[in-house]
Amino acid sequence: METLIHIDGAILMFLQEVVRNAILDPIMKVITTLGNAGILWIILTICLLIPRKTRKIGWMSACALLFSLLINNILLKNLVARVRPYNAIEGLIPIVKKPSEFSFPSGHAGSSFASACVLYRKLPKKFGIPILVLAILISFSRLYVGVHYPTDVLAGAITGIICSYLGEGLINLIEKHRKGKIE
């Protein structure tokens, strides 16, 4: 475990000392803000819920986001209670407002991958691929700005992917159940 913690810290310090720069800093701040409270994914989900043609995909995304909220932000963050890296790694300076909740797992990565993976699988690839790239960028931005450990982001991405399948499965199950009762 100590080795993993050391690697996490080394990656963050490398990003701060080598990768951060005056051009990328404002871009990464904007990208990380897109994931705040899952707002981008919520807006995309609402947009998908409006037309009948994409409504089922919208419900899948909504369920995936709800699962991510419950698993990542309510359950795991409070169960693990990991302090933020800027409180544990000497010299690490976040370049955005310091979040107040615990660090593990990344809620930004969780919600991003929960919604984006549903949309990647269900929408045409011309939409799905850029959406998935955006989820990756939002997740990476959490490392870049110094507010999450790499393992937080990795765990958030993994749980987000799982939540995407849970959301998709739940809506398919509900639809199957409804059709069974109607027919």
Side-chain angles (χ1 to χ4, degrees):
M1 193 62 158
E2 281 297 316
T3 303
L4 188 59
I5 292 169
H6 178 73
I7 292 169
D8 263 354
I11 291 169
L12 291 175
M13 290 308 293
F14 172 81
L15 289 172
Q16 176 176 289
E17 301 301 324
V18 178
V19 180
R20 279 188 195 170
N21 63 68
I23 295 170
L24 280 179
D25 286 3
I27 294 167
M28 285 298 173
K29 286 178 184 180
V30 168
I31 290 171
T32 211
T33 302
L34 293 174
N36 288 355
I39 194 67
L40 171 70
W41 307 109
I42 292 168
I43 291 168
L44 280 173
T45 297
I46 291 168
C47 290
L48 290 167
L49 287 168
I50 295 169
R52 180 180 277 286
K53 183 178 178 182
T54 59
R55 192 166 293 150
K56 182 177 176 182
I57 299 168
W59 281 117
M60 288 175 175
S61 179
C63 287
L65 286 168
L66 184 58
F67 281 128
S68 178
L69 173 71
L70 294 172
I71 292 168
N72 290 325
N73 295 68
I74 295 173
L75 179 67
L76 291 176
K77 274 190 190 284
N78 293 305
L79 190 63
V80 176
R82 187 179 197 185
V83 299
R84 293 283 175 165
Y86 49 78
N87 290 325
I89 300 170
E90 189 175 327
L92 182 65
I93 303 164
I95 59 171
V96 293
K97 184 180 175 227
K98 294 178 179 178
S100 58
E101 70 278 351
F102 293 118
S103 189
F104 182 91
S106 167
H108 280 66
S111 62
S112 294
F113 276 89
S115 181
C117 286
V118 167
L119 304 183
Y120 174 78
R121 289 192 305 270
K122 297 298 176 182
L123 292 175
K125 294 304 175 228
K126 68 180 179 180
F127 300 114
I129 291 171
I131 287 169
L132 194 55
V133 168
L134 184 57
I136 293 166
L137 286 172
I138 289 171
S139 299
F140 174 75
S141 75
R142 303 307 283 167
L143 304 176
Y144 185 94
V145 301
V147 297
H148 274 293
Y149 296 95
T151 49
D152 296 344
V153 171
L154 180 61
I158 291 168
T159 57
I161 292 166
I162 293 167
C163 290
S164 77
Y165 283 105
L166 291 173
E168 184 179 336
L170 178 61
I171 294 305
N172 285 334
L173 186 66
I174 291 169
E175 183 179 65
K176 184 178 178 182
H177 180 71
R178 286 180 55 201
K179 284 182 179 179
K181 286 199 170 195
I182 294 169
E183 296 175 343

